[in-house]
Amino acid sequence: MRISRVANYQELSALAASYIVEEVKAKPDLLFCAATGGSPTGMYAEMRKEKEVFHQMRVIKMDEWGIIPSEHPDSCESYLQKHLLEPLDIPANRYVSFDPNSAVPEKEIQRIESYIQANSPMDICILGLGKNGHIAFNEPAEFLQPGFHKATLAESTIQHDPALSQGAEPAFGWCVGMQGILQSKKIIFLVTGKGKEAALEQILTKQISTDCPASFLWLHSNVELITDYQ
Ligand SMILES: O=C(O)[C@H](O)[C@@H](O)[C@H](O)[C@H](O)COP(=O)(O)O
C-alpha cells in the first residue's frame, strides 16, 4: 500500500483524479467501481475537468442502501447520477447498477455478481473508509463475504447517513464483496472526513483482521491510500 498524506481535501481529490486520468488514458474502456459518500465527491468534480478522456469508461455502482428507492435523492444511485454519470455523459449501456427496487433482490445479487465475475478483474476500485473500518458495506464481523451480497449495516454506518438516520428500518445494504474489491487491478483508497482517526490507526498497524475490513487491503499489491489526516 502506498500512502500519500496531503494537506487538504482539495489536494486529495486532485491527486486521486490524476491517477484515474492516467489509467483511463492507457485503457479508455476500463471498468471503474464507484463509491459514493463524502470522500469521492471532490475527486468526481476533478474528473469532470478532464471529461473528454472518459468517453469509453464503464462504471459499476459499488453499493446501495436497502431501504430507500433508487429515485430517492439520498440513494447511491442518485448520488452517482449527479456526481459522475450525468456530468461525464456515461450512458446506460456503460453502467451497471444494482436495482434496489427489484422484486427479487436475490436475482439482482446474482446478476451483479455474474457481471463482476465475467468482467473481473475490475480495473479501478474507489473506496472510502468507514469510521469503523468498513469498505463499501463490508462491515466488521466474524466473517467477511467474497461476493456481491446483502449486508447488515453497523450502527455507525446508519448514523453516518442522514437519510437512514431518519428512522427508516430495517437497515441493510447491498455491496460488492471483498473478492471483487481485492481482485481489482488498482484500488484508490480515500481516507478523509471526520472521525476516522482510530480506523486509520488500526490500518497502519498492518494487522489484518475482520474487525477492520480495510486492513485486508494490505494483501493487495496496488493500493493508493490518500489521506488528508496529518
Ligand atoms: O458510501 C459508499 O459508497 C461506501 O459504501 C462507504 O464505504 C463509504 O465510502 C464510507 O462509509 C465512507 O463514507 P464517507 O465518504 O461519506 O465518509
Side-chain angles (χ1 to χ4, degrees), residues 20 30-37 40 43-44 47 57-64 76-77 79-81 83-85 88 90 94-98 122-128 136 148 174-176 181 184 188 190:
I20 295 162
L30 64 73
L31 179 57
F32 180 91
C33 184
T36 63
M43 180 190 79
Y44 293 145
M47 287 166 67
M57 186 172 84
R58 297 169 295 148
V59 176
I60 180 166
K61 179 171 68 172
M62 169 175 284
D63 46 17
E64 186 55 270
C76 296
E77 186 66 33
Y79 172 100
L80 283 185
Q81 291 292 344
H83 292 284
L84 184 70
L85 303 167
L88 294 186
I90 297 193
R94 283 197 273 125
Y95 176 53
V96 172
S97 164
F98 183 91
M122 299 189 290
D123 294 288
I124 297 183
C125 183
I126 305 302
L127 295 172
F148 197 91
W174 287 285
C175 76
V176 66
I181 291 171
S184 303
I188 297 182
L190 305 174

Side-chain angles (χ1 to χ4, degrees), residues 5-69:
R5 289 188 189 266
V6 296
N8 53 44
Y9 182 69
Q10 175 55 35
E11 279 188 26
L12 172 143
S13 303
L15 180 59
S18 73
Y19 289 139
I20 295 162
V21 168
E22 190 181 315
E23 295 290 327
V24 85
K25 279 182 176 164
K27 185 180 180 192
D29 67 344
L30 64 73
L31 179 57
F32 180 91
C33 184
T36 63
S39 304
T41 307
M43 180 190 79
Y44 293 145
E46 288 294 316
M47 287 166 67
R48 297 201 286 272
K49 295 180 184 168
E50 306 238 23
K51 180 177 173 176
E52 63 289 348
V53 301
F54 297 106
H55 64 286
Q56 289 183 42
M57 186 172 84
R58 297 169 295 148
V59 176
I60 180 166
K61 179 171 68 172
M62 169 175 284
D63 46 17
E64 186 55 270
W65 302 109
I67 54 173
I68 51 179

Side-chain angles (χ1 to χ4, degrees), residues 4 6 12 15-16 19 188-192 224-228:
S4 303
V6 296
L12 172 143
L15 180 59
Y19 289 139
I188 297 182
F189 184 28
L190 305 174
V191 180
T192 182
E224 298 286 352
L225 185 160
I226 311 174
T227 185
D228 52 8

Side-chain angles (χ1 to χ4, degrees), residues 36-212:
T36 63
S39 304
T41 307
M43 180 190 79
Y44 293 145
E46 288 294 316
M47 287 166 67
R48 297 201 286 272
K49 295 180 184 168
E50 306 238 23
K51 180 177 173 176
E52 63 289 348
V53 301
F54 297 106
H55 64 286
Q56 289 183 42
M57 186 172 84
R58 297 169 295 148
V59 176
I60 180 166
K61 179 171 68 172
M62 169 175 284
D63 46 17
E64 186 55 270
W65 302 109
I67 54 173
I68 51 179
S70 258
E71 308 72 40
H72 191 285
D74 292 315
S75 69
C76 296
E77 186 66 33
S78 296
Y79 172 100
L80 283 185
Q81 291 292 344
K82 176 176 169 189
H83 292 284
L84 184 70
L85 303 167
E86 286 168 13
L88 294 186
D89 285 336
I90 297 193
N93 65 3
R94 283 197 273 125
Y95 176 53
V96 172
S97 164
F98 183 91
D99 177 8
N101 304 334
S102 163
V104 192
E106 294 72 23
K107 279 201 175 151
E108 270 298 276
I109 289 175
Q110 271 174 23
R111 181 177 72 86
I112 301 294
E113 182 58 21
S114 302
Y115 178 87
I116 291 172
Q117 291 304 328
N119 291 276
S120 194
M122 299 189 290
D123 294 288
I124 297 183
C125 183
I126 305 302
L127 295 172
L129 176 64
K131 290 174 186 157
N132 62 356
H134 77 208
I135 44 176
F137 289 147
N138 296 282
E139 301 279 21
E142 196 176 350
F143 303 104
L144 301 177
Q145 299 206 39
F148 197 91
H149 63 281
K150 183 175 176 179
T152 303
L153 300 176
E155 196 52 38
S156 61
T157 305
I158 300 164
Q159 300 294 331
H160 183 66
D161 188 273
L164 296 179
S165 53
Q166 281 161 17
E169 293 287 346
F172 64 91
W174 287 285
C175 76
V176 66
M178 295 300 288
Q179 184 185 37
I181 291 171
L182 291 172
Q183 282 179 346
S184 303
K185 286 188 195 158
K186 187 177 189 77
I187 295 173
I188 297 182
F189 184 28
L190 305 174
V191 180
T192 182
K194 290 199 178 114
K196 313 214 178 146
E197 295 85 351
L200 178 59
E201 204 174 306
Q202 195 174 352
I203 293 165
L204 296 179
T205 65
K206 295 193 185 175
Q207 291 174 358
I208 297 165
S209 161
T210 61
D211 287 344
C212 179

